[in-house]
């Protein structure tokens, strides 16, 4: 598996906005039906992760923890980990259980992989067709994006190991969709609808559109609601192709290709006219069918909206602090809109940062405030950046993770023709707010 390491460009991080990769791992597991992430670390860290995700999505999040005590530093904590797994399997009976190690786990020196391996061997009969695994996700490296991608890769590896690598007959009309963490549940729902409109069956992993989209369910459970069922993932090994949205998801797509010979295509972004045109062209070739009339209308509406808004975007300077894949998508779309400069700050290293035409650095919110003082018409980022934008006197548009104080954040759409039009309106209205403030 690919190792994710940061290339620190500053000796000291001031006011960081980087989100722990453990949050990304827990988020990814919400997209698998009846899954249960178990954080092995300090109790306060687990509470923070659960609260952060619940506040952003306004939905309950499946999450348990194994608390490390002082005695674990001396005697070890393998009994605690095994007891937690035993309790989870007997009480909740999850289909997918992942024991997530933290920085504190590494300091104690726990061998979670061996502990889980022994647990599975001892209960092989009871765990048939269920997955129990471990994954270290220390806070000192990576970010939400890398944690999400690593967890997806880990689940794909486990599914391949569970169902085997034998060659099977492929179904041309089936597509695996691997959406990146920068896509909202609303985005995933839109992509599934677009792909299905071509007569193609779509298997989405992780599928946040059916777990964190705001649907009402009766009853209480500690397990994830919605998401793709584990037994359905067997079919992903017989799909005709895999579509990865975001560079961070290429690793999972490559694992599927190596196991089953299924080709994959990576779309760095599906926001913007050109990116959406490329996606529809790909679906036309895969399905050998034509585009529905409603999407032709949506493209016409987007073109008209771009013409109407170009005078608002042209010549503007925008700064953004988001995950790398999200930054690349914004950069390409804003380039289509005629923005003069797009300067970006990412929380961790990624190869996609090299593809951003304007300036992109690895930094923190202190760097964002410095960029704002150099001149910016709009600040885009998570809610953590709003105080800095206010201090700098720059109009702020919340985007990414986490976003607080806004309704229906998880249902916002920014992909495809319709989503791009909606995003154009959101950002354009924020720029108009800046102009009206200048006139006053």
């Amino acid at each position: 598996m690919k190792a994710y390491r940061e290339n620190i460009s500053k000796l000291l991080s001031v006011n960081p906005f980087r989100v722990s990769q453990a949050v990304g791992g827990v988020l990814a597991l919400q997209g698998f039906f009846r899954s249960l992430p178990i954080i092995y670390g300090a109790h306060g860290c687990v509470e923070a992760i659960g609260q952060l995700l619940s506040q952003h999505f306004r939905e309950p999040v499946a999450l348990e923890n194994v608390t490390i005590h002082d005695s674990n530093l001396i005697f070890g904590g393998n009994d605690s980990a095994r007891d937690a797994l035993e309790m989870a399997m007997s009480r909740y009976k999850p289909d997918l259980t992942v024991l997530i190690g933290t920085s504190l786990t590494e300091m104690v020196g726990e061998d979670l992989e061996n502990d889980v391996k022994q647990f599975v061997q001892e209960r092989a009969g009871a765990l048939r067709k269920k997955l129990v695994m471990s994954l270290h996700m220390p806070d000192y490296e990576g970010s939400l994006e890398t944690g999400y991608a690593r967890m997806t890769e880990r689940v794909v590896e486990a599914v391949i190991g569970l169902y085997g690598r034998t060659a099977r007959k492929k179904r041309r009309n089936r597509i695996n969709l691997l959406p990146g963490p920068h896509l909202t549940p609303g985005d995933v729902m839109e992509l599934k609808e677009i792909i299905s409109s071509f007569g193609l069956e779509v298997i989405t992993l992780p599928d946040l559109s059916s777990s964190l989209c705001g649907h009402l369910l009766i009853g209480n459970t500690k397990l994830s609601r919605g998401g793709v069922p584990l037994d359905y993932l067997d079919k992903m090994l017989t799909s005709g192709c895999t579509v990865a949205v975001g560079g961070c998801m290429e690793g999972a797509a490559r694992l599927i290709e190596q196991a089953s010979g299924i080709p994959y295509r990576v779309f760095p972004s599906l926001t913007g006219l050109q990116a959406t045109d490329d996606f529809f062209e790909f679906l036309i070739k895969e399905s050998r069918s034509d585009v529905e009339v409603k999407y032709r209308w949506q493209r016409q509406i987007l073109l008209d909206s771009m013409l109407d808004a170009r005078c608002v975007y042209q010549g503007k300077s925008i700064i953004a602090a988001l995950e790398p894949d999200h930054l690349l998508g914004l950069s390409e779309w804003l380039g289509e809109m005629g923005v003069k400069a797009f300067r970006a700050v990412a929380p961790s290293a990624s190869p996609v940062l090299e593809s951003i035409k304007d300036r992109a650095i690895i930094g923190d919110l202190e760097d964002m405030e410095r960029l704002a003082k150099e001149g910016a018409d709009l600040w885009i980022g998570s809610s953590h950046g709003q105080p800095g934008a206010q201090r700098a006197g720059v109009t702020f548009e919340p985007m990414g993770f986490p976003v607080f104080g806004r309704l229906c954040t998880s249902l916002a759409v920014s992909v495809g023709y319709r989503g791009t039009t909606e995003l154009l309106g959101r950002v354009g209205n924020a720029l108009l707010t800046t102009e009206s403030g200048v006139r006053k």
Side-chain angles (χ1 to χ4, degrees):
M1 185 177 291
K2 181 179 177 181
Y4 293 88
R5 294 284 176 179
E6 287 189 45
N7 179 21
I8 302 298
S9 59
K10 293 179 66 173
L11 296 177
L12 177 65
S13 182
V14 180
N15 197 9
F17 70 97
R18 182 172 66 89
V19 177
S20 168
Q21 62 174 340
V23 178
V26 172
L27 175 60
L29 287 176
Q30 306 308 305
F32 296 96
F33 184 58
R34 292 183 56 80
S35 69
L36 181 64
I38 303 176
I39 301 290
Y40 196 166
H43 183 71
C45 296
V46 178
E47 289 291 327
I49 292 174
Q51 186 178 32
L52 195 65
L53 288 166
S54 294
Q55 285 183 337
H56 176 83
F57 291 103
R58 296 179 181 267
E59 295 294 326
V61 173
L63 181 62
E64 287 290 324
N65 78 291
V66 182
T67 304
I68 294 181
H69 300 286
D70 296 343
S71 59
N72 297 131
L73 299 174
I74 303 173
F75 302 108
N78 59 323
D79 289 338
S80 299
R82 292 161 67 87
D83 290 345
L85 290 172
E86 183 67 50
M87 182 196 71
M89 300 308 298
S90 61
R91 183 177 298 179
Y92 307 126
K93 297 179 175 56
D95 293 337
L96 172 60
T97 309
V98 183
L99 189 60
I100 301 176
T102 60
S103 302
L104 194 56
T105 313
E106 290 198 346
M107 184 185 72
V108 174
E110 292 297 337
D111 188 357
L112 297 184
E113 185 175 353
N114 185 58
D115 293 341
V116 171
K117 185 177 180 180
Q118 289 183 2
F119 178 85
V120 172
Q121 289 176 346
E122 293 171 2
R123 295 160 180 79
L127 299 178
R128 187 172 178 271
K129 295 300 180 180
K130 295 182 182 292
L131 289 178
V132 182
M133 64 191 79
S134 66
L135 187 61
H136 275 285
M137 291 188 158
D139 297 334
Y140 54 78
E141 65 181 25
S143 64
L144 180 141
E145 184 176 282
T146 55
Y148 182 98
R150 288 185 62 204
M151 183 60 74
T152 304
E153 291 173 24
R154 185 71 183 90
V155 174
V156 168
E157 281 184 337
V159 170
I160 291 171
L162 182 64
Y163 294 107
R165 295 173 175 265
T166 55
R168 306 184 197 180
K169 184 178 179 180
K170 302 297 186 295
R171 290 189 57 175
R172 183 179 177 84
N173 67 333
R174 178 184 292 154
I175 284 182
N176 298 323
L177 174 64
L178 308 180
H182 62 291
L183 300 183
T184 68
D187 287 329
V188 179
M189 201 178 300
E190 179 76 5
L191 292 179
K192 289 166 61 177
E193 184 177 342
I194 291 173
I195 294 172
S196 298
S197 71
F198 285 88
L200 299 170
E201 178 187 356
V202 55
I203 299 177
T204 309
L205 65 150
D207 189 359
L208 299 180
S209 71
S210 57
S211 61
L212 294 176
C213 61
H215 58 284
L216 293 175
L217 290 176
I218 299 174
N220 181 39
T221 175
K222 286 288 186 179
L223 306 179
S224 61
R225 303 185 181 202
V228 57
L230 183 61
D231 55 2
Y232 193 63
L233 288 179
D234 179 29
K235 296 183 178 181
M236 78 175 183
L237 302 177
T238 61
S239 296
C241 69
T242 299
V243 172
V245 185
C248 72
M249 302 306 289
E250 184 174 3
R254 190 182 298 112
L255 287 173
I256 297 173
E257 181 190 48
Q258 293 171 350
S260 302
I262 299 173
Y264 68 87
R265 169 80 179 269
V266 178
F267 289 90
S269 171
L270 291 180
T271 299
L273 180 64
Q274 186 61 57
T276 306
D277 282 347
D278 292 343
F279 183 55
F280 272 84
E281 183 179 350
F282 168 80
L283 293 176
I284 291 171
K285 291 180 180 179
E286 284 295 318
S287 64
R288 297 174 183 175
S289 60
D290 207 354
V291 182
E292 286 190 1
V293 174
K294 74 172 183 178
Y295 295 113
R296 296 182 183 275
W297 274 105
Q298 287 179 8
R299 189 178 189 276
Q300 293 298 319
I301 293 170
L302 173 58
L303 283 171
D304 182 70
S305 300
M306 291 174 68
L307 289 172
D308 293 341
R310 192 166 182 84
C311 60
V312 177
Y313 283 83
Q314 193 148 15
K316 295 297 190 298
S317 176
I318 296 177
I319 58 176
L322 297 166
E323 296 288 335
D325 282 339
H326 205 166
L327 289 174
L328 178 59
L330 275 182
S331 172
E332 294 180 346
W333 165 65
L334 290 172
E336 290 181 345
M337 295 303 301
V339 169
K340 178 180 69 174
F342 177 76
R343 293 166 293 169
V345 177
S348 61
S350 172
V352 304
L353 295 177
E354 299 177 2
S355 302
I356 296 178
K357 297 177 181 179
D358 294 323
R359 201 156 120 206
I361 62 173
I362 302 168
D364 48 40
L365 294 178
E366 182 189 53
D367 296 311
M368 283 291 288
E369 290 195 50
R370 178 172 49 80
L371 293 177
K373 291 177 181 178
E374 292 176 3
D377 297 292
L378 184 66
W379 176 320
I380 297 176
S382 70
S383 291
H384 293 319
Q386 188 166 5
Q390 291 174 344
R391 286 192 295 268
V394 178
T395 302
F396 178 77
E397 177 61 31
M399 203 176 295
F401 180 90
V403 173
F404 306 135
R406 294 293 179 101
L407 296 175
C408 300
T409 300
S410 61
L411 297 179
V413 180
S414 62
V415 297
Y417 299 124
R418 182 173 72 89
T420 302
T421 304
E422 291 186 11
L423 182 63
L424 184 152
R426 281 175 53 199
V427 176
N429 287 330
L431 289 171
L432 286 174
T433 301
T434 302
E435 288 185 359
S436 64
V438 171
R439 293 192 194 103
K440 291 178 182 178

